[in-house]
Amino acid sequence: MYVCSCFGVTEAQVQQHAENGACTPRQIASACKAGTDCGSCVRRIQAILGRGACPRRDLADQGRPVLSDLGDLEDLGEAA
């Protein structure tokens, strides 16, 4: 199912970008342009993102820096 008809982005693509670390509609937009034209899909993107885990959001909730590379998350988890 298409989430963004302006750029032909599917729900599966948004979920894949989220699995790769995108936690916000802006990060999804940077990855695939979804939400950058008419904007009608932004709420749908927010709903999709709200369903999954977000490593960066988890770090922020713990008071840890979130601007590090996502590849470092395993190291951070072991240090905790």
Side-chain angles (χ1 to χ4, degrees), residues 2-24:
Y2 284 103
V3 172
C4 176
S5 55
C6 295
F7 292 104
V9 179
T10 65
E11 184 171 342
Q13 288 172 306
V14 172
Q15 289 171 339
Q16 183 61 50
H17 290 301
E19 289 172 14
N20 291 336
C23 298
T24 66

Side-chain angles (χ1 to χ4, degrees), residues 1-63:
M1 173 201 254
Y2 284 103
V3 172
C4 176
S5 55
C6 295
F7 292 104
V9 179
T10 65
E11 184 171 342
Q13 288 172 306
V14 172
Q15 289 171 339
Q16 183 61 50
H17 290 301
E19 289 172 14
N20 291 336
C23 298
T24 66
R26 184 171 291 186
Q27 291 170 340
I28 295 294
S30 293
C32 63
K33 293 188 178 182
T36 61
D37 194 25
C38 77
S40 67
C41 59
V42 173
R43 287 186 186 225
R44 178 79 176 126
I45 293 168
Q46 288 172 326
I48 293 167
L49 294 174
R51 288 190 229 152
C54 179
R56 291 183 187 189
R57 184 174 36 225
D58 294 342
L59 288 174
D61 290 345
Q62 297 169 11

